[in-house]
Amino acid sequence: MTTLKVNGHTHEVASEPDTPLLYVLRNDLNLNAAKFGCGLGQCGACTVMVDGQAVLSCVTPLVVVEGKEIMTVEGLGTAEKPGPLQAAFIEKQAAQCGYCIPGMMMSAAALLKQNAAPTDEEIRSALRTNLCRCGTHMRILAAIRRASKLMEAAGLAAAKRSAG
């Protein structure tokens, strides 16, 4: 048995230690936001956060994440009460097909955790492992900038800004 802490909840899973985290999230925990894209860690559709860092879950074995804090898009908020990042993506209509958006959001969440007011270049750098074919890149950038402002207004980014 492997113990995982996902979105603040502890789960026991009976998967092999080399099982990709993505498979456990989707198949065992029914957390379907992280997507299977390439399965090779090259598209970013499976991005989640592990201890505050963006991680490609399709190439991350369970043994690497046991005992660490894992967050998926489902941990950012709910449909009824979206978190600031989710609200900003909705407000800016940043999704077209939506397949890449959970991975984009988790890369952005990791960035905003480290840098409360990133520049466009820093945002682009943080999203470099996330592929999108729909062409909403400018709206995605706008959504991440908007999320930064929403988080600051909610006091979620103030500690990072004053610490840095």
Side-chain angles (χ1 to χ4, degrees):
M1 292 295 271
T2 301
T3 302
L4 298 177
K5 188 167 185 184
V6 182
N7 300 329
H9 302 284
T10 302
H11 304 274
E12 295 284 332
V13 295
S15 297
E16 294 296 320
D18 62 345
T19 303
L21 174 59
L22 176 65
Y23 297 177
V24 172
L25 292 173
R26 294 182 60 81
N27 300 335
D28 298 339
L29 303 182
N30 293 315
L31 297 171
N32 295 312
K35 305 294 186 238
F36 182 90
C38 66
L40 301 170
Q42 297 177 351
C43 73
C46 68
T47 305
V48 299
M49 281 195 324
V50 177
D51 286 345
Q53 300 294 314
V55 170
L56 300 168
S57 65
C58 74
V59 294
T60 302
L62 281 184
V63 69
V64 173
V65 298
E66 187 169 16
K68 298 183 178 180
E69 298 282 334
I70 301 164
M71 181 177 283
T72 68
V73 167
E74 292 93 344
L76 296 177
T78 64
E80 298 77 27
K81 188 175 180 190
L85 192 56
Q86 294 164 313
F89 269 70
I90 293 165
E91 178 185 324
K92 297 297 181 180
Q93 299 181 4
Q96 190 165 340
C97 84
Y99 202 83
C100 70
I101 295 301
M104 294 272 192
M105 282 186 174
M106 295 315 295
S107 291
L111 170 65
L112 293 171
K113 187 172 182 65
Q114 301 292 322
N115 181 351
T119 65
D120 281 356
E121 187 53 42
E122 290 167 327
I123 295 170
R124 284 186 184 97
S125 179
L127 298 180
R128 73 184 178 281
T129 59
N130 298 89
L131 300 180
C132 173
R133 301 290 187 230
C134 296
T136 63
H137 296 88
M138 298 312 291
R139 287 186 279 174
I140 291 168
L141 289 172
I144 295 169
R145 288 191 303 266
R146 177 68 176 138
S148 173
K149 291 184 185 342
L150 291 172
M151 292 169 78
E152 181 178 20
L156 298 174
K160 284 289 181 190
R161 196 170 277 162
S162 63

